[in-house]
Amino acid sequence: MAFLNTKREYAKTELEFIALMAFLMSNVALSIDAILPALTDIGNTIDNQHPPSLQYIISTIFLGLGIGQFVFGSLSDSYGRKPIVFVGVGIFAIGSVICICSKNFETMLFGRVLQGIGLAAPKTVSISIVRDVYSGDNMARIMSFITIIFVIVPMIAPIIGQVILLNFDWQAIFYFQLLFVVTTTTWFYFRQKETLPKTKRKHFNTANYANSFFEFVSSRNAILCTLISALMEGAFIAYLSNSKHIFQNQYGLIDEFPFIFGGISLALGIATFLNGSLVLKYGMRNLIHLALMVFVASSSIFLWLFWADYNPSISFVLTFLIIQFFSFGFIFGNISALAMEKIGHIAGFGASLFTFTSTILGVTIAICIGQFMASTFFPIAIGFLVCGILSLFFLKMT
């Protein structure tokens, strides 16, 4: 305990520090996944019952996250960690109120973009705080523990949304999100001290950012990894945005949907956790390559076996998605590190630009895939296959 108090006076215990950082990050998953069961009800209120359009309610929050992470990552290096979190939470609150009061589709989408921009602050800053306090193997250890807690939220968020929806209207889900964010931010305010002293802050310099930008776009490795990340994010967001439509509308699994969604998310969490150990033994590039091979092979086999079926058996669909999400865990866990491998001296700005670009492109890809969603699962499987093949091609060029 004495070591904790003298070495880093940031949280009362290491366990509390881990929990606090995990809950700050978890606001993102809660805001995305908790409303999945309510998409139909939201569509009825805002006079839009077209499933391909309702996917935008999910994908637009990713758009906001991409914008916000690019902005807040740099600002926290100049103005400190804590103030940026509070600014982001304020933006999120405004976006939430807009969503709650929405009477049309356009207003809802605007509110969701603001929610994403706001949530980017606690998500980005929490990772920066961990980097401020820990380093090396200790940082990897802490991030592994944070991941365990963080993974639980996508599993239970749809269940929370379903329970709220059964007892209240869909607006109550947004009120719950607000309550959760305010609670974690209050906890953060009182229990977490600033981890970036003024002496270590960087001056906001336009010329430096311009030089870093040109260095990033001049790196073949960084650009190719960004494209791989965009393709994988596109496939991931396409599934996430259409998961309710797939399971509830196409397969009639209305009450089972939250539990199915949580079970599939568990595969992603397990792979992400395992990656922390396996990457040291096999290397991140090898793991990405193997995961992409599995991703492409499973997509090819699935399409070959069930091309003639309008909607394959749900057991085969679930098996396919579990394999794909397990692959996602090893790809997402390594591709950003691979992108930064040769531009470590501009890692802060590079990571922000990488996240921003891959997310914007990923949302665009997801929307394109979602346009083909009607009454069959195959657009998702085809989208996975195309994204996987292109990613393998780009990986071989790195």
Side-chain angles (χ1 to χ4, degrees), residues 292-315:
L292 284 174
M293 291 291 290
V294 172
F295 192 86
V296 170
S298 58
S299 299
S300 302
I301 293 170
F302 182 87
L303 289 168
W304 177 65
L305 289 176
F306 302 110
W307 186 257
D309 292 344
Y310 193 64
N311 265 321
S313 168
I314 187 62
S315 59

Side-chain angles (χ1 to χ4, degrees), residues 16-28:
E16 182 183 9
F17 179 82
I18 292 170
L20 178 54
M21 295 302 107
F23 274 89
L24 280 175
M25 295 182 194
S26 297
N27 283 295
V28 175

